């Protein structure tokens, strides 16, 4: 369950730690007040906090909170992290983020009113016990999925779109488990907490059915996946067919050189590209395309269409 807007704070004073929760606005205001004469340190602290909470970093650290610490005095620090899951928040409330050598307590008095209201809406106690599921409302959102987008689902898992097979069928890469999955009937939803209507909505994808392909690219027939779950328009002419072949090659090539894709994804695209086109070089591909080396697929498809029509008669 998303915990948007909450900030976890650990204040260490001479080895005794106070845990508390703030909203983002109050947290930034507190940092500025505590470090009024430390402009450079505050700037570096905010950069550290921002950089440690990107989607890529969250996945790389297996959803473990990444803390940014500001040193106020030799024996006084304040550390801040942004929770991304209910589990992270509950762990913080139970003291799992505290130094085992220090004494600690959860300070309700230091919390902002908004943060305590949010905790109540999430049905989590200040000791980290989960009392149930929060009451939420859901709304479908019209959204055009595109290759390369990184989207969270409503459980907090991150997926990268490898290919849009159809408007609602997506070939996805699970950034948490490194697993390939086809999301059938995928939609984007808006979720709001009924007890906190002023909180910004959470957006996440959900699908009607998932086809889980494992995490070994060499064992997956991606061309079969496209045929089975994709929207395919039969090319009427050789020119149309070659255009489709060219688009497919370029899409694969873009994935192989994109540094933001995991290595497994790039390798899978490279294997598929060489299996189909016997090259990864664009100039060689276009020479082969122009000389008709890939045209057998067009004639085979035409033969299959003719055969299907004759059977129907």
């Amino acid at each position: 369950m998303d915990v948007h807007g909450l900030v976890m704070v650990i204040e260490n004073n001479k080895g005794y730690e106070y845990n508390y929760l703030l909203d983002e606005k109050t947290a930034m205001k507190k940092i500025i007040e505590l470090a009024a004469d430390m402009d450079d340190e505050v700037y570096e602290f905010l950069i550290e906090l921002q950089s440690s909470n990107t989607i890529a970093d969250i996945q790389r650290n297996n959803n473990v909170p990444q803390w940014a610490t500001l040193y106020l005095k030799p024996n006084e620090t304040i550390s801040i992290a942004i929770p991304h899951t209910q589990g992270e928040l509950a762990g913080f409330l139970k003291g799992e983020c505290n130094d085992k050598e220090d004494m600690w307590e959860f300070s309700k008095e230091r919390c902002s009113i908004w943060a305590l209201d949010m905790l109540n809406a999430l049905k989590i106690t200040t000791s980290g016990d989960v009392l149930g599921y929060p009451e939420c409302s859901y709304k479908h959102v019209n959204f055009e999925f595109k290759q390369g987008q990184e989207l969270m689902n409503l459980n907090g898992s991150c997926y990268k779109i490898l290919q849009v097979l159809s408007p609602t069928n997506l070939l996805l890469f699970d950034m948490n488990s490194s697993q390939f999955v086809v999301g059938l009937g995928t939609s984007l939803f808006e979720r709001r907490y009924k007890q906190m209507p002023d909180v910004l909505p959470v957006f996440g994808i959900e699908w009607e059915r998932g086809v889980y392909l494992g995490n070994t690219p060499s064992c997956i027939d991606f061309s079969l996946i496209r045929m089975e779950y994709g929207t395919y328009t039969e090319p009427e002419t050789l020119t149309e067919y070659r255009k489709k072949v060219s688009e497919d090659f370029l899409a694969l090539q873009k994935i192989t050189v994109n540094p933001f894709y995991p290595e497994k994804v790039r390798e899978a695209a490279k294997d598929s590209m060489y299996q189909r086109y016997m090259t990864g070089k664009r100039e060689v591909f276009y020479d082969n395309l122009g000389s008709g080396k890939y045209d057998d697929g067009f004639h085979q498809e035409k033969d299959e269409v003719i055969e299907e029509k004759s059977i129907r008669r």
Side-chain angles (χ1 to χ4, degrees), residues 262-304:
E263 186 177 352
K264 278 191 175 183
V265 174
R266 297 198 301 271
E267 286 298 318
K270 186 177 179 180
D271 290 344
S272 182
M273 182 171 61
Y274 274 88
Q275 286 173 10
R276 276 183 258 172
Y277 306 115
M278 299 165 289
T279 185
K281 296 180 179 180
R282 192 173 297 191
E283 60 273 16
V284 175
F285 166 78
Y286 280 119
D287 285 343
N288 291 341
L289 184 67
S291 63
K293 287 190 176 180
Y294 308 126
D295 292 350
D296 286 348
F298 174 70
H299 299 304
Q300 182 180 352
E301 289 174 3
K302 282 298 180 185
D303 291 342
E304 289 174 355

mmCIF file of all heavy atoms in Angstrom, residues 262-304:
data_model
loop_
_atom_site.group_PDB
_atom_site.id
_atom_site.type_symbol
_atom_site.label_atom_id
_atom_site.label_comp_id
_atom_site.label_asym_id
_atom_site.label_seq_id
_atom_site.Cartn_x
_atom_site.Cartn_y
_atom_site.Cartn_z
ATOM 1 N N PRO A 262 17.913 -2.967 -18.004
ATOM 2 C CA PRO A 262 18.782 -3.956 -17.356
ATOM 3 C C PRO A 262 19.516 -4.796 -18.401
ATOM 4 O O PRO A 262 19.046 -4.959 -19.527
ATOM 5 C CB PRO A 262 17.793 -4.813 -16.551
ATOM 6 C CG PRO A 262 16.594 -3.946 -16.367
ATOM 7 C CD PRO A 262 16.508 -3.092 -17.595
ATOM 8 N N GLU A 263 20.673 -5.338 -18.026
ATOM 9 C CA GLU A 263 21.495 -6.105 -18.968
ATOM 10 C C GLU A 263 20.734 -7.300 -19.539
ATOM 11 O O GLU A 263 20.870 -7.618 -20.728
ATOM 12 C CB GLU A 263 22.761 -6.593 -18.262
ATOM 13 C CG GLU A 263 23.741 -7.286 -19.196
ATOM 14 C CD GLU A 263 25.031 -7.696 -18.502
ATOM 15 O OE1 GLU A 263 25.201 -7.303 -17.333
ATOM 16 O OE2 GLU A 263 25.830 -8.408 -19.127
ATOM 17 N N LYS A 264 19.900 -7.948 -18.725
ATOM 18 C CA LYS A 264 19.128 -9.088 -19.211
ATOM 19 C C LYS A 264 18.191 -8.688 -20.346
ATOM 20 O O LYS A 264 17.996 -9.433 -21.304
ATOM 21 C CB LYS A 264 18.313 -9.705 -18.074
ATOM 22 C CG LYS A 264 19.091 -10.656 -17.179
ATOM 23 C CD LYS A 264 18.152 -11.395 -16.268
ATOM 24 C CE LYS A 264 18.898 -12.441 -15.460
ATOM 25 N NZ LYS A 264 17.982 -13.233 -14.601
ATOM 26 N N VAL A 265 17.604 -7.525 -20.237
ATOM 27 C CA VAL A 265 16.688 -7.044 -21.273
ATOM 28 C C VAL A 265 17.458 -6.759 -22.551
ATOM 29 O O VAL A 265 17.029 -7.126 -23.654
ATOM 30 C CB VAL A 265 15.941 -5.782 -20.793
ATOM 31 C CG1 VAL A 265 15.097 -5.205 -21.917
ATOM 32 C CG2 VAL A 265 15.075 -6.105 -19.595
ATOM 33 N N ARG A 266 18.609 -6.094 -22.433
ATOM 34 C CA ARG A 266 19.406 -5.777 -23.624
ATOM 35 C C ARG A 266 19.886 -7.044 -24.321
ATOM 36 O O ARG A 266 19.885 -7.141 -25.551
ATOM 37 C CB ARG A 266 20.597 -4.889 -23.235
ATOM 38 C CG ARG A 266 20.206 -3.532 -22.667
ATOM 39 C CD ARG A 266 21.352 -2.542 -22.718
ATOM 40 N NE ARG A 266 22.517 -3.003 -21.993
ATOM 41 C CZ ARG A 266 22.747 -2.771 -20.699
ATOM 42 N NH1 ARG A 266 21.844 -2.085 -19.994
ATOM 43 N NH2 ARG A 266 23.848 -3.191 -20.107
ATOM 44 N N GLU A 267 20.283 -8.050 -23.525
ATOM 45 C CA GLU A 267 20.747 -9.315 -24.097
ATOM 46 C C GLU A 267 19.612 -10.058 -24.797
ATOM 47 O O GLU A 267 19.810 -10.667 -25.852
ATOM 48 C CB GLU A 267 21.347 -10.197 -23.001
ATOM 49 C CG GLU A 267 22.724 -9.749 -22.517
ATOM 50 C CD GLU A 267 23.757 -9.780 -23.637
ATOM 51 O OE1 GLU A 267 23.762 -10.743 -24.424
ATOM 52 O OE2 GLU A 267 24.546 -8.823 -23.729
ATOM 53 N N ALA A 268 18.415 -10.008 -24.206
ATOM 54 C CA ALA A 268 17.259 -10.667 -24.815
ATOM 55 C C ALA A 268 16.931 -10.037 -26.169
ATOM 56 O O ALA A 268 16.638 -10.734 -27.146
ATOM 57 C CB ALA A 268 16.050 -10.582 -23.891
ATOM 58 N N ALA A 269 16.977 -8.702 -26.225
ATOM 59 C CA ALA A 269 16.704 -8.001 -27.476
ATOM 60 C C ALA A 269 17.775 -8.319 -28.521
ATOM 61 O O ALA A 269 17.476 -8.517 -29.709
ATOM 62 C CB ALA A 269 16.638 -6.499 -27.223
ATOM 63 N N LYS A 270 19.022 -8.393 -28.077
ATOM 64 C CA LYS A 270 20.124 -8.703 -28.995
ATOM 65 C C LYS A 270 19.988 -10.111 -29.566
ATOM 66 O O LYS A 270 20.161 -10.326 -30.778
ATOM 67 C CB LYS A 270 21.456 -8.563 -28.259
ATOM 68 C CG LYS A 270 22.679 -8.732 -29.149
ATOM 69 C CD LYS A 270 23.954 -8.514 -28.350
ATOM 70 C CE LYS A 270 25.192 -8.697 -29.220
ATOM 71 N NZ LYS A 270 26.436 -8.488 -28.437
ATOM 72 N N ASP A 271 19.659 -11.083 -28.709
ATOM 73 C CA ASP A 271 19.470 -12.457 -29.171
ATOM 74 C C ASP A 271 18.340 -12.537 -30.191
ATOM 75 O O ASP A 271 18.466 -13.198 -31.233
ATOM 76 C CB ASP A 271 19.153 -13.379 -27.993
ATOM 77 C CG ASP A 271 20.345 -13.586 -27.074
ATOM 78 O OD1 ASP A 271 21.478 -13.267 -27.506
ATOM 79 O OD2 ASP A 271 20.147 -14.037 -25.928
ATOM 80 N N SER A 272 17.243 -11.878 -29.889
ATOM 81 C CA SER A 272 16.092 -11.890 -30.795
ATOM 82 C C SER A 272 16.439 -11.238 -32.127
ATOM 83 O O SER A 272 16.045 -11.714 -33.194
ATOM 84 C CB SER A 272 14.910 -11.165 -30.138
ATOM 85 O OG SER A 272 13.775 -11.213 -30.968
ATOM 86 N N MET A 273 17.195 -10.141 -32.089
ATOM 87 C CA MET A 273 17.583 -9.414 -33.294
ATOM 88 C C MET A 273 18.455 -10.278 -34.207
ATOM 89 O O MET A 273 18.240 -10.343 -35.423
ATOM 90 C CB MET A 273 18.313 -8.128 -32.900
ATOM 91 C CG MET A 273 18.725 -7.238 -34.066
ATOM 92 S SD MET A 273 19.345 -5.638 -33.465
ATOM 93 C CE MET A 273 20.762 -6.170 -32.490
ATOM 94 N N TYR A 274 19.427 -10.977 -33.623
ATOM 95 C CA TYR A 274 20.318 -11.816 -34.427
ATOM 96 C C TYR A 274 19.616 -13.069 -34.939
ATOM 97 O O TYR A 274 19.925 -13.553 -36.039
ATOM 98 C CB TYR A 274 21.563 -12.192 -33.621
ATOM 99 C CG TYR A 274 22.647 -11.142 -33.714
ATOM 100 C CD1 TYR A 274 22.685 -10.073 -32.825
ATOM 101 C CD2 TYR A 274 23.619 -11.192 -34.713
ATOM 102 C CE1 TYR A 274 23.663 -9.094 -32.913
ATOM 103 C CE2 TYR A 274 24.606 -10.218 -34.811
ATOM 104 C CZ TYR A 274 24.620 -9.176 -33.907
ATOM 105 O OH TYR A 274 25.585 -8.194 -34.007
ATOM 106 N N GLN A 275 18.676 -13.606 -34.157
ATOM 107 C CA GLN A 275 17.928 -14.775 -34.617
ATOM 108 C C GLN A 275 17.090 -14.450 -35.843
ATOM 109 O O GLN A 275 16.982 -15.253 -36.774
ATOM 110 C CB GLN A 275 17.023 -15.297 -33.491
ATOM 111 C CG GLN A 275 17.762 -16.017 -32.379
ATOM 112 C CD GLN A 275 16.847 -16.354 -31.215
ATOM 113 O OE1 GLN A 275 15.627 -16.218 -31.309
ATOM 114 N NE2 GLN A 275 17.438 -16.778 -30.095
ATOM 115 N N ARG A 276 16.518 -13.254 -35.842
ATOM 116 C CA ARG A 276 15.617 -12.888 -36.939
ATOM 117 C C ARG A 276 16.337 -12.271 -38.131
ATOM 118 O O ARG A 276 15.987 -12.540 -39.286
ATOM 119 C CB ARG A 276 14.557 -11.904 -36.424
ATOM 120 C CG ARG A 276 13.374 -12.569 -35.767
ATOM 121 C CD ARG A 276 12.356 -11.535 -35.349
ATOM 122 N NE ARG A 276 12.432 -11.283 -33.921
ATOM 123 C CZ ARG A 276 11.779 -10.331 -33.286
ATOM 124 N NH1 ARG A 276 11.034 -9.511 -33.977
ATOM 125 N NH2 ARG A 276 11.891 -10.177 -32.003
ATOM 126 N N TYR A 277 17.351 -11.442 -37.851
ATOM 127 C CA TYR A 277 17.944 -10.632 -38.921
ATOM 128 C C TYR A 277 19.430 -10.906 -39.162
ATOM 129 O O TYR A 277 20.036 -10.304 -40.041
ATOM 130 C CB TYR A 277 17.715 -9.147 -38.619
ATOM 131 C CG TYR A 277 16.256 -8.835 -38.372
ATOM 132 C CD1 TYR A 277 15.815 -8.388 -37.130
ATOM 133 C CD2 TYR A 277 15.306 -9.042 -39.370
ATOM 134 C CE1 TYR A 277 14.478 -8.136 -36.885
ATOM 135 C CE2 TYR A 277 13.956 -8.792 -39.141
ATOM 136 C CZ TYR A 277 13.547 -8.341 -37.894
ATOM 137 O OH TYR A 277 12.216 -8.097 -37.669
ATOM 138 N N MET A 278 20.021 -11.766 -38.347
ATOM 139 C CA MET A 278 21.409 -12.220 -38.540
ATOM 140 C C MET A 278 22.443 -11.097 -38.470
ATOM 141 O O MET A 278 23.585 -11.257 -38.929
ATOM 142 C CB MET A 278 21.545 -12.960 -39.888
ATOM 143 C CG MET A 278 20.662 -14.193 -39.981
ATOM 144 S SD MET A 278 20.484 -14.795 -41.680
ATOM 145 C CE MET A 278 19.454 -13.515 -42.400
ATOM 146 N N THR A 279 22.070 -9.963 -37.943
ATOM 147 C CA THR A 279 22.995 -8.834 -37.811
ATOM 148 C C THR A 279 22.465 -7.835 -36.790
ATOM 149 O O THR A 279 21.259 -7.803 -36.511
ATOM 150 C CB THR A 279 23.208 -8.117 -39.157
ATOM 151 O OG1 THR A 279 24.201 -7.096 -38.985
ATOM 152 C CG2 THR A 279 21.913 -7.481 -39.650
ATOM 153 N N GLY A 280 23.399 -7.059 -36.266
ATOM 154 C CA GLY A 280 23.003 -5.971 -35.385
ATOM 155 C C GLY A 280 23.377 -4.623 -35.967
ATOM 156 O O GLY A 280 23.132 -3.577 -35.369
ATOM 157 N N LYS A 281 23.975 -4.646 -37.157
ATOM 158 C CA LYS A 281 24.403 -3.418 -37.817
ATOM 159 C C LYS A 281 23.308 -2.916 -38.761
ATOM 160 O O LYS A 281 22.819 -3.667 -39.608
ATOM 161 C CB LYS A 281 25.697 -3.659 -38.595
ATOM 162 C CG LYS A 281 26.880 -4.018 -37.715
ATOM 163 C CD LYS A 281 28.133 -4.237 -38.536
ATOM 164 C CE LYS A 281 29.329 -4.579 -37.638
ATOM 165 N NZ LYS A 281 30.559 -4.806 -38.437
ATOM 166 N N ARG A 282 22.993 -1.629 -38.625
ATOM 167 C CA ARG A 282 21.887 -1.070 -39.387
ATOM 168 C C ARG A 282 22.140 -1.109 -40.895
ATOM 169 O O ARG A 282 21.246 -1.441 -41.681
ATOM 170 C CB ARG A 282 21.627 0.371 -38.924
ATOM 171 C CG ARG A 282 20.325 0.944 -39.435
ATOM 172 C CD ARG A 282 20.026 2.303 -38.831
ATOM 173 N NE ARG A 282 19.849 2.231 -37.385
ATOM 174 C CZ ARG A 282 19.379 3.237 -36.656
ATOM 175 N NH1 ARG A 282 19.060 4.382 -37.243
ATOM 176 N NH2 ARG A 282 19.249 3.113 -35.363
ATOM 177 N N GLU A 283 23.394 -0.779 -41.318
ATOM 178 C CA GLU A 283 23.679 -0.743 -42.751
ATOM 179 C C GLU A 283 23.583 -2.139 -43.370
ATOM 180 O O GLU A 283 23.099 -2.298 -44.506
ATOM 181 C CB GLU A 283 25.060 -0.110 -43.011
ATOM 182 C CG GLU A 283 26.240 -0.838 -42.362
ATOM 183 C CD GLU A 283 26.512 -0.402 -40.939
ATOM 184 O OE1 GLU A 283 25.612 0.235 -40.328
ATOM 185 O OE2 GLU A 283 27.616 -0.691 -40.438
ATOM 186 N N VAL A 284 24.027 -3.163 -42.629
ATOM 187 C CA VAL A 284 23.930 -4.536 -43.132
ATOM 188 C C VAL A 284 22.465 -4.953 -43.221
ATOM 189 O O VAL A 284 22.044 -5.605 -44.187
ATOM 190 C CB VAL A 284 24.717 -5.504 -42.217
ATOM 191 C CG1 VAL A 284 24.514 -6.950 -42.667
ATOM 192 C CG2 VAL A 284 26.191 -5.142 -42.206
ATOM 193 N N PHE A 285 21.695 -4.580 -42.209
ATOM 194 C CA PHE A 285 20.273 -4.914 -42.210
ATOM 195 C C PHE A 285 19.572 -4.331 -43.436
ATOM 196 O O PHE A 285 18.813 -5.037 -44.121
ATOM 197 C CB PHE A 285 19.602 -4.387 -40.932
ATOM 198 C CG PHE A 285 18.097 -4.389 -41.002
ATOM 199 C CD1 PHE A 285 17.385 -5.563 -40.824
ATOM 200 C CD2 PHE A 285 17.402 -3.215 -41.276
ATOM 201 C CE1 PHE A 285 15.991 -5.571 -40.899
ATOM 202 C CE2 PHE A 285 16.017 -3.209 -41.360
ATOM 203 C CZ PHE A 285 15.314 -4.394 -41.167
ATOM 204 N N TYR A 286 19.814 -3.049 -43.731
ATOM 205 C CA TYR A 286 19.125 -2.418 -44.866
ATOM 206 C C TYR A 286 19.575 -3.010 -46.198
ATOM 207 O O TYR A 286 18.777 -3.113 -47.139
ATOM 208 C CB TYR A 286 19.342 -0.904 -44.836
ATOM 209 C CG TYR A 286 18.428 -0.205 -43.856
ATOM 210 C CD1 TYR A 286 18.943 0.531 -42.783
ATOM 211 C CD2 TYR A 286 17.047 -0.294 -43.974
ATOM 212 C CE1 TYR A 286 18.101 1.156 -41.870
ATOM 213 C CE2 TYR A 286 16.202 0.321 -43.074
ATOM 214 C CZ TYR A 286 16.733 1.051 -42.026
ATOM 215 O OH TYR A 286 15.900 1.660 -41.136
ATOM 216 N N ASP A 287 20.843 -3.426 -46.289
ATOM 217 C CA ASP A 287 21.296 -4.118 -47.507
ATOM 218 C C ASP A 287 20.539 -5.432 -47.676
ATOM 219 O O ASP A 287 20.082 -5.769 -48.784
ATOM 220 C CB ASP A 287 22.803 -4.392 -47.431
ATOM 221 C CG ASP A 287 23.636 -3.137 -47.657
ATOM 222 O OD1 ASP A 287 23.077 -2.146 -48.179
ATOM 223 O OD2 ASP A 287 24.830 -3.140 -47.296
ATOM 224 N N ASN A 288 20.412 -6.174 -46.579
ATOM 225 C CA ASN A 288 19.684 -7.443 -46.623
ATOM 226 C C ASN A 288 18.203 -7.223 -46.931
ATOM 227 O O ASN A 288 17.594 -7.990 -47.691
ATOM 228 C CB ASN A 288 19.822 -8.181 -45.292
ATOM 229 C CG ASN A 288 21.228 -8.686 -45.043
ATOM 230 O OD1 ASN A 288 22.030 -8.800 -45.969
ATOM 231 N ND2 ASN A 288 21.536 -8.990 -43.788
ATOM 232 N N LEU A 289 17.638 -6.184 -46.326
ATOM 233 C CA LEU A 289 16.217 -5.888 -46.542
ATOM 234 C C LEU A 289 15.957 -5.551 -48.011
ATOM 235 O O LEU A 289 15.004 -6.059 -48.622
ATOM 236 C CB LEU A 289 15.791 -4.717 -45.642
ATOM 237 C CG LEU A 289 14.306 -4.333 -45.681
ATOM 238 C CD1 LEU A 289 13.446 -5.438 -45.080
ATOM 239 C CD2 LEU A 289 14.077 -3.020 -44.908
ATOM 240 N N GLY A 290 16.823 -4.693 -48.585
ATOM 241 C CA GLY A 290 16.647 -4.290 -49.981
ATOM 242 C C GLY A 290 16.860 -5.421 -50.973
ATOM 243 O O GLY A 290 16.244 -5.440 -52.059
ATOM 244 N N SER A 291 17.710 -6.387 -50.606
ATOM 245 C CA SER A 291 17.978 -7.503 -51.521
ATOM 246 C C SER A 291 16.982 -8.653 -51.352
ATOM 247 O O SER A 291 17.084 -9.677 -52.035
ATOM 248 C CB SER A 291 19.403 -8.028 -51.292
ATOM 249 O OG SER A 291 19.539 -8.547 -49.970
ATOM 250 N N GLY A 292 16.026 -8.482 -50.412
ATOM 251 C CA GLY A 292 14.961 -9.471 -50.277
ATOM 252 C C GLY A 292 15.259 -10.640 -49.365
ATOM 253 O O GLY A 292 14.536 -11.647 -49.381
ATOM 254 N N LYS A 293 16.308 -10.557 -48.532
ATOM 255 C CA LYS A 293 16.678 -11.683 -47.677
ATOM 256 C C LYS A 293 15.652 -11.978 -46.581
ATOM 257 O O LYS A 293 15.656 -13.070 -46.014
ATOM 258 C CB LYS A 293 18.051 -11.434 -47.046
ATOM 259 C CG LYS A 293 19.199 -11.575 -48.037
ATOM 260 C CD LYS A 293 20.545 -11.557 -47.339
ATOM 261 C CE LYS A 293 21.674 -11.803 -48.335
ATOM 262 N NZ LYS A 293 23.004 -11.800 -47.680
ATOM 263 N N TYR A 294 14.802 -10.993 -46.281
ATOM 264 C CA TYR A 294 13.795 -11.205 -45.248
ATOM 265 C C TYR A 294 12.394 -11.376 -45.834
ATOM 266 O O TYR A 294 11.418 -11.435 -45.085
ATOM 267 C CB TYR A 294 13.784 -10.022 -44.268
ATOM 268 C CG TYR A 294 15.142 -9.676 -43.704
ATOM 269 C CD1 TYR A 294 15.648 -8.382 -43.806
ATOM 270 C CD2 TYR A 294 15.924 -10.637 -43.076
ATOM 271 C CE1 TYR A 294 16.893 -8.056 -43.289
ATOM 272 C CE2 TYR A 294 17.172 -10.326 -42.558
ATOM 273 C CZ TYR A 294 17.659 -9.030 -42.678
ATOM 274 O OH TYR A 294 18.900 -8.718 -42.168
ATOM 275 N N ASP A 295 12.284 -11.482 -47.154
ATOM 276 C CA ASP A 295 10.974 -11.518 -47.805
ATOM 277 C C ASP A 295 10.257 -12.852 -47.674
ATOM 278 O O ASP A 295 9.056 -12.936 -47.941
ATOM 279 C CB ASP A 295 11.102 -11.155 -49.292
ATOM 280 C CG ASP A 295 11.486 -9.693 -49.500
ATOM 281 O OD1 ASP A 295 11.463 -8.932 -48.502
ATOM 282 O OD2 ASP A 295 11.818 -9.315 -50.643
ATOM 283 N N ASP A 296 10.973 -13.899 -47.272
ATOM 284 C CA ASP A 296 10.331 -15.208 -47.129
ATOM 285 C C ASP A 296 9.173 -15.142 -46.145
ATOM 286 O O ASP A 296 8.165 -15.837 -46.314
ATOM 287 C CB ASP A 296 11.348 -16.256 -46.659
ATOM 288 C CG ASP A 296 12.310 -16.657 -47.768
ATOM 289 O OD1 ASP A 296 12.031 -16.301 -48.937
ATOM 290 O OD2 ASP A 296 13.333 -17.299 -47.463
ATOM 291 N N GLY A 297 9.322 -14.311 -45.122
ATOM 292 C CA GLY A 297 8.249 -14.167 -44.144
ATOM 293 C C GLY A 297 6.979 -13.630 -44.769
ATOM 294 O O GLY A 297 5.872 -14.047 -44.412
ATOM 295 N N PHE A 298 7.122 -12.720 -45.707
ATOM 296 C CA PHE A 298 5.954 -12.135 -46.376
ATOM 297 C C PHE A 298 5.244 -13.193 -47.211
ATOM 298 O O PHE A 298 4.020 -13.341 -47.145
ATOM 299 C CB PHE A 298 6.392 -10.971 -47.268
ATOM 300 C CG PHE A 298 5.273 -10.394 -48.100
ATOM 301 C CD1 PHE A 298 4.249 -9.674 -47.515
ATOM 302 C CD2 PHE A 298 5.238 -10.593 -49.477
ATOM 303 C CE1 PHE A 298 3.214 -9.135 -48.282
ATOM 304 C CE2 PHE A 298 4.214 -10.069 -50.245
ATOM 305 C CZ PHE A 298 3.201 -9.341 -49.647
ATOM 306 N N HIS A 299 5.984 -13.965 -47.989
ATOM 307 C CA HIS A 299 5.389 -14.989 -48.838
ATOM 308 C C HIS A 299 4.754 -16.090 -48.002
ATOM 309 O O HIS A 299 3.698 -16.612 -48.339
ATOM 310 C CB HIS A 299 6.452 -15.577 -49.773
ATOM 311 C CG HIS A 299 7.057 -14.555 -50.687
ATOM 312 N ND1 HIS A 299 6.296 -13.774 -51.536
ATOM 313 C CD2 HIS A 299 8.356 -14.168 -50.876
ATOM 314 C CE1 HIS A 299 7.089 -12.961 -52.222
ATOM 315 N NE2 HIS A 299 8.341 -13.179 -51.833
ATOM 316 N N GLN A 300 5.399 -16.418 -46.865
ATOM 317 C CA GLN A 300 4.860 -17.448 -45.982
ATOM 318 C C GLN A 300 3.526 -17.009 -45.393
ATOM 319 O O GLN A 300 2.574 -17.778 -45.339
ATOM 320 C CB GLN A 300 5.853 -17.747 -44.864
ATOM 321 C CG GLN A 300 5.399 -18.857 -43.915
ATOM 322 C CD GLN A 300 6.413 -19.112 -42.813
ATOM 323 O OE1 GLN A 300 7.510 -18.582 -42.827
ATOM 324 N NE2 GLN A 300 6.036 -19.934 -41.860
ATOM 325 N N GLU A 301 3.454 -15.725 -44.980
ATOM 326 C CA GLU A 301 2.208 -15.205 -44.427
ATOM 327 C C GLU A 301 1.106 -15.208 -45.473
ATOM 328 O O GLU A 301 -0.046 -15.528 -45.186
ATOM 329 C CB GLU A 301 2.434 -13.787 -43.894
ATOM 330 C CG GLU A 301 3.273 -13.751 -42.618
ATOM 331 C CD GLU A 301 3.609 -12.335 -42.189
ATOM 332 O OE1 GLU A 301 3.145 -11.406 -42.861
ATOM 333 O OE2 GLU A 301 4.343 -12.183 -41.203
ATOM 334 N N LYS A 302 1.459 -14.855 -46.703
ATOM 335 C CA LYS A 302 0.473 -14.839 -47.778
ATOM 336 C C LYS A 302 -0.051 -16.252 -48.043
ATOM 337 O O LYS A 302 -1.242 -16.459 -48.241
ATOM 338 C CB LYS A 302 1.088 -14.249 -49.050
ATOM 339 C CG LYS A 302 1.189 -12.729 -49.036
ATOM 340 C CD LYS A 302 -0.191 -12.114 -48.926
ATOM 341 C CE LYS A 302 -0.131 -10.590 -48.903
ATOM 342 N NZ LYS A 302 -1.459 -9.993 -48.675
ATOM 343 N N ASP A 303 0.853 -17.230 -48.028
ATOM 344 C CA ASP A 303 0.451 -18.615 -48.256
ATOM 345 C C ASP A 303 -0.491 -19.090 -47.163
ATOM 346 O O ASP A 303 -1.468 -19.798 -47.428
ATOM 347 C CB ASP A 303 1.690 -19.530 -48.303
ATOM 348 C CG ASP A 303 2.533 -19.287 -49.546
ATOM 349 O OD1 ASP A 303 2.008 -18.693 -50.509
ATOM 350 O OD2 ASP A 303 3.727 -19.672 -49.535
ATOM 351 N N GLU A 304 -0.195 -18.673 -45.899
ATOM 352 C CA GLU A 304 -1.045 -19.063 -44.781
ATOM 353 C C GLU A 304 -2.430 -18.453 -44.903
ATOM 354 O O GLU A 304 -3.439 -19.095 -44.594
ATOM 355 C CB GLU A 304 -0.399 -18.640 -43.458
ATOM 356 C CG GLU A 304 0.836 -19.460 -43.100
ATOM 357 C CD GLU A 304 1.538 -18.929 -41.874
ATOM 358 O OE1 GLU A 304 1.107 -17.870 -41.370
ATOM 359 O OE2 GLU A 304 2.514 -19.568 -41.430
#
